[in-house]
Amino acid sequence: MRKCQNFKTVGNGTSKKMAASSTKREKSKQNQREIFETIKFQTKEIIQSRKNINYIIDIQSNLESEESAVVKASVKALDKIFCHLTSNGSLSEQGPPLETEADKTVREWSRERYQEFQDHALKLIAAEQISLQEQALLTLMHLLQTEGQHPLQKLPEGKEHMFPLDLLEKLMVHMLSLEREAAPVITRFQEFMEYEDVLFHLLRVLGKILKAQNNVDEKFLKNLIHILEHITLHNSPLKEEEKTKLFCSNKKHFKWNYGQAKKYFSTIWQQLLRHPLTPSLYKRVLVILPDKVLPHLEKPLLLTDFLMESYRIGGAVSILALHGVFLLMQNYNLEYPDFYTKLYALLEPGVLFVKYRARFFYLLDLFMTSTHIPEYIAAAFAKRLSRLALIAPANVVILLLHFVGNLMIRHRGLSRLMHHPEDQNDVTDDPYVMNENDLTACKATDSSLWEIKTLQSHVLPEIANTAKFIERDLPKLEWDVKQDLETTLEDLLEKELKRKIPTDDIPINFEKPTKFACVKHEKLSVYFEL
């Protein structure tokens, strides 16, 4: 009986605690609703009459609340209030000609409160909650838009518009200095980079920040590269159906200037590449350089040293630098006589397993397309790719076979490599030197493609059949290696499962097995049975 009574007592105590907790939550919700109603009322009163301007202090006090919902509501309210005051001239740096002393005091006081709100919103960019970060960003961009349409400063004569660069610069400094995960708020900022006036002045501001910044750490560079990855410059004028997107300007006041944007863009990259990069950031930079950076630099050849050094490092870094070096050679007349020697040196077993394998072989195919490449170079590449095919994963072997076949189609003189020389009956006598990176000394032209002949015995019929091209007349059209770049083992397996195999070709036992055991009449079955 005592146990039961004790149990009831504990139960009653627990239920009382739960009831108290529920009551607290209800009171908290009720308090929130009251705060929201008060904020809504005060906002409406301020907008209706400047006499109620002191309500701003009450609303700003809610910014220090521990409840994020209250903070968000206050930010939205103050955004609405200050945008209203900006648009009607109440926050202008210079008041109207007949302004009274009292009105001047109110205007200056309002400007101080506006500056305080801006500073608080900038701090919220680093808030722990992503929703607060995004709300602060949207609010600051709304304030920027309103300032752009209704400038607070006195404009010089003949100038009707001024982009609020100071606010944009403060915003970017805070975003680039974020220590926590900055991806969500930077990703949200990309929406505004679609506006030409924002993008143009963003480039201007980023260059200025980089020049002034003394302590540039990893997080700063990471956030900056995240922004630069999503910047797309355009040189040609927009088509008629594509309307120019402007955020706080109009066509009369702003016109996209590609030449000036190019200067700002070049300054950013010159400053960025002076700082040491971590391996991950180094690779991210090399990925975006060929398509998004090089075409829009004033002097692309200034990146020669950076790309050359990257190309010499080896491994994945060299693969990523490959495209940039080639573009400098192709479009900007860079002389690099050892290009194919360095490219040949990259054909190591590790290249078959790197993350950027598809990119590498796509570029390799592009570089080897020219029929003006000397035959000894083509032979060296064909031989090394054939040797790699012996150790490559099954899904990569098809790519390598088609690659070698294309080289033989482009350079018909390589057909002599299709069969062993008459005096060579043993593959151990192969004159080709795999470890020799000198294209003239590796003796590829004296060898043969016995590796492809070997692959005709591969366990997968797909690979075995593909390798038989070496015994047939070469086709006139090349194989499309782009289709093989992303082929996976699952793709090969699925293809094999769909293949129709005639039943009479399937080898069977003379005796139907009843268990995992050796054949009845073999001596081994006397000693072993499974």
Side-chain angles (χ1 to χ4, degrees):
M1 290 294 293
R2 288 180 181 176
K3 289 183 180 179
C4 293
Q5 287 175 355
N6 289 340
F7 177 77
K8 286 180 181 179
T9 303
V10 173
N12 289 336
T14 305
S15 60
K16 287 179 181 178
K17 288 180 181 178
M18 291 176 64
S21 177
S22 177
T23 304
K24 284 183 180 179
R25 283 197 298 268
E26 288 177 3
K27 286 182 178 179
S28 177
K29 289 181 180 179
Q30 185 177 354
N31 289 337
Q32 272 193 13
R33 284 193 294 268
E34 290 176 358
I35 293 172
F36 294 157
E37 289 298 325
T38 303
I39 292 173
K40 188 176 179 180
F41 169 76
Q42 290 174 338
T43 303
K44 186 177 179 181
E45 290 294 308
I46 294 171
I47 291 174
Q48 284 181 349
S49 174
R50 286 181 64 186
K51 294 179 180 179
N52 303 312
I53 198 76
N54 281 329
Y55 281 144
I56 289 179
I57 296 177
D58 296 335
I59 301 175
Q60 282 185 324
S61 65
N62 291 322
L63 293 174
E64 305 297 335
S65 173
E66 295 180 358
E67 298 178 7
S68 59
V70 174
V71 175
K72 286 178 70 174
S74 304
V75 169
K76 290 179 180 178
L78 291 167
D79 177 15
K80 187 175 181 180
I81 291 168
F82 286 116
C83 284
H84 169 75
L85 296 175
T86 301
S87 60
N88 67 16
S90 299
L91 297 179
S92 298
E93 191 175 43
Q94 188 173 7
L98 301 177
E99 184 182 35
T100 64
E101 194 62 33
D103 288 339
K104 181 182 178 182
T105 303
V106 171
R107 178 172 54 79
E108 291 178 349
W109 181 87
S110 301
R111 283 174 59 83
E112 290 175 2
R113 302 293 78 73
Y114 176 56
Q115 192 58 53
E116 287 176 0
F117 174 56
Q118 270 193 19
D119 294 341
H120 200 97
L122 288 167
K123 290 179 182 178
L124 287 177
I125 290 289
E128 292 185 6
Q129 295 187 11
I130 295 175
S131 60
L132 274 179
Q133 288 183 0
E134 293 185 349
Q135 183 59 55
L137 173 64
L138 295 176
T139 297
L140 288 164
M141 291 306 294
H142 191 204
L143 296 176
L144 183 142
Q145 183 181 39
T146 308
E147 276 194 40
Q149 294 169 350
H150 307 278
L152 301 181
Q153 295 86 2
K154 183 181 179 181
L155 300 179
E157 291 185 10
K159 195 168 185 179
E160 301 176 357
H161 174 267
M162 181 180 289
F163 192 91
L165 285 171
D166 290 342
L167 180 54
L168 181 62
E169 184 178 343
K170 290 177 184 177
L171 173 59
M172 294 316 302
V173 167
H174 279 77
M175 286 179 62
L176 293 173
S177 303
L178 286 175
E179 295 187 8
R180 298 188 182 89
E181 182 59 43
V185 69
I186 292 178
T187 302
R188 191 65 188 267
F189 182 72
Q190 291 166 24
E191 299 175 11
F192 301 99
M193 288 163 56
E194 296 176 4
Y195 296 94
E196 288 191 348
D197 52 345
V198 173
L199 178 58
F200 182 83
H201 292 100
L202 172 67
L203 296 175
R204 183 179 176 183
V205 162
L206 288 177
K208 184 180 177 182
I209 292 172
L210 271 171
K211 284 182 179 179
Q213 198 79 9
N214 294 324
N215 299 322
V216 176
D217 53 12
E218 182 184 350
K219 69 175 186 301
F220 185 94
L221 293 172
K222 182 180 179 181
N223 295 334
L224 176 61
I225 292 170
H226 193 164
I227 292 174
L228 293 175
E229 283 174 332
H230 298 89
I231 288 180
T232 303
L233 301 184
H234 62 83
N235 184 11
S236 57
L238 295 174
K239 299 177 182 178
E240 292 183 2
E241 61 270 17
E242 296 179 356
K243 294 183 179 179
T244 303
K245 291 182 69 175
L246 298 175
F247 188 63
C248 60
S249 312
N250 55 46
K251 292 182 180 179
K252 180 182 176 182
H253 299 138
F254 178 85
K255 187 176 181 181
W256 176 259
N257 185 339
Y258 175 69
Q260 190 61 47
K262 202 173 179 179
K263 288 182 181 179
Y264 293 146
F265 191 66
S266 300
T267 299
I268 293 170
W269 279 99
Q270 287 173 16
Q271 296 290 332
L272 170 61
L273 295 180
R274 289 176 182 173
H275 300 286
L277 301 172
T278 61
S280 61
L281 294 180
Y282 202 108
K283 291 175 184 176
R284 284 172 66 177
V285 166
L286 289 173
V287 167
I288 63 176
L289 275 181
D291 299 324
K292 292 200 170 186
V293 180
L294 277 176
H296 305 293
L297 293 179
E298 281 194 299
K299 298 177 181 178
L301 288 175
L302 290 178
L303 289 182
T304 301
D305 291 340
F306 175 78
L307 288 171
M308 289 293 193
E309 189 61 34
S310 303
Y311 194 37
R312 295 189 191 101
I313 290 176
V317 173
S318 292
I319 291 172
L320 293 174
L322 194 59
H323 196 185
V325 173
F326 181 76
L327 287 178
L328 290 181
M329 293 171 58
Q330 185 183 44
N331 300 331
Y332 306 102
N333 301 320
L334 174 69
E335 293 185 7
Y336 191 16
D338 295 333
F339 177 76
Y340 283 98
T341 303
K342 296 289 184 183
L343 183 61
Y344 180 75
L346 292 177
L347 293 177
E348 296 289 341
V351 81
L352 303 172
F353 306 96
V354 294
K355 177 182 178 181
Y356 307 101
R357 182 185 64 210
R359 174 190 288 264
F360 172 73
F361 280 104
Y362 170 77
L363 293 173
L364 182 62
D365 182 53
L366 181 66
F367 305 149
M368 301 300 295
T369 301
S370 175
T371 55
H372 297 290
I373 295 173
E375 193 173 284
Y376 74 92
I377 292 180
F381 276 85
K383 183 64 181 176
R384 182 165 278 195
L385 289 170
S386 300
R387 188 67 63 87
L388 289 178
L390 294 176
I391 58 172
N395 56 310
V396 184
V397 175
I398 301 290
L399 167 65
L400 297 178
L401 291 174
H402 285 163
F403 208 114
V404 174
N406 286 347
L407 287 175
M408 299 178 75
I409 293 171
R410 294 167 194 164
H411 305 272
R412 294 286 173 171
L414 298 184
S415 57
R416 68 173 181 271
L417 301 180
M418 295 172 67
H419 303 285
H420 286 296
E422 294 180 359
D423 58 345
Q424 182 180 337
N425 298 318
D426 189 353
V427 295
T428 58
D429 297 332
D430 189 351
Y432 172 70
V433 184
M434 177 74 173
N435 297 327
E436 177 59 66
N437 288 332
D438 187 346
L439 294 170
T440 58
C442 66
K443 299 182 181 180
T445 53
D446 300 332
S447 183
S448 64
L449 299 179
W450 59 265
E451 296 91 348
I452 295 181
K453 182 72 175 176
T454 303
L455 288 171
Q456 292 177 5
S457 303
H458 199 280
V459 66
L460 286 179
E462 177 77 10
I463 294 176
N465 292 332
T466 304
K468 289 179 181 177
F469 80 87
I470 201 170
E471 296 180 348
R472 308 181 187 128
D473 292 335
L474 291 172
K476 294 182 179 180
L477 296 178
E478 297 181 5
W479 285 279
D480 185 7
V481 295
K482 293 178 184 176
Q483 297 179 355
D484 304 321
L485 293 175
E486 300 293 345
T487 302
T488 63
L489 290 171
E490 289 78 7
D491 296 332
L492 287 180
L493 179 59
E494 188 175 348
K495 194 171 183 178
E496 289 299 324
L497 291 174
K498 291 180 179 178
R499 188 190 300 274
K500 293 182 179 179
I501 304 174
T503 54
D504 55 350
D505 286 349
I506 300 176
I508 58 175
N509 293 336
F510 291 103
E511 297 178 11
K512 184 177 180 180
T514 56
K515 55 185 176 179
F516 289 106
C518 303
V519 180
K520 233 181 244 183
H521 304 291
E522 284 190 0
K523 289 185 178 181
L524 200 60
S525 63
V526 178
Y527 303 103
F528 294 96
E529 183 174 337
L530 298 176

